[in-house]
Amino acid sequence: MLTEKLTKRQKTILLSATVLYFVVGFFLIVLFIGSVVGYNAAGLLALAYLGLGWYFLIKQNGLFDIMKIKHD
């Protein structure tokens, strides 16, 4: 199995896409769920979403696992 290292540009693009995914998700949760359950509760849910994303991507090294490309 060969492991290819990502270039700095590819890592930057991947990190930017990951951050954008969570920021867009945060605002979508606030907008769509906020109209149903209230914006305060939706804000708390969105913060929990960001917290869980941070925990799995940073604390559990999930982002580093995502950045590895393996070829058989």
Side-chain angles (χ1 to χ4, degrees):
M1 180 182 320
L2 299 172
T3 303
E4 177 184 337
K5 292 189 177 191
L6 295 176
T7 64
K8 185 175 181 173
R9 178 175 163 80
Q10 290 171 331
K11 286 183 181 181
T12 303
I13 290 171
L14 183 61
L15 183 62
S16 299
T18 304
V19 169
L20 186 64
Y21 173 79
F22 282 105
V23 170
V24 169
F26 174 82
F27 285 113
L28 289 177
I29 288 172
V30 171
L31 289 176
F32 292 124
I33 295 179
S35 61
V36 176
V37 298
Y39 290 103
N40 289 334
L44 292 175
L45 286 172
L47 287 175
Y49 170 75
L50 289 177
L52 285 173
W54 171 81
Y55 179 75
F56 286 112
L57 287 178
I58 304 300
K59 292 300 256 184
Q60 297 296 321
N61 293 330
L63 188 60
F64 298 118
D65 291 339
I66 292 171
M67 287 186 167
K68 292 179 186 172
I69 297 176
K70 296 182 180 179
H71 300 282
D72 290 339

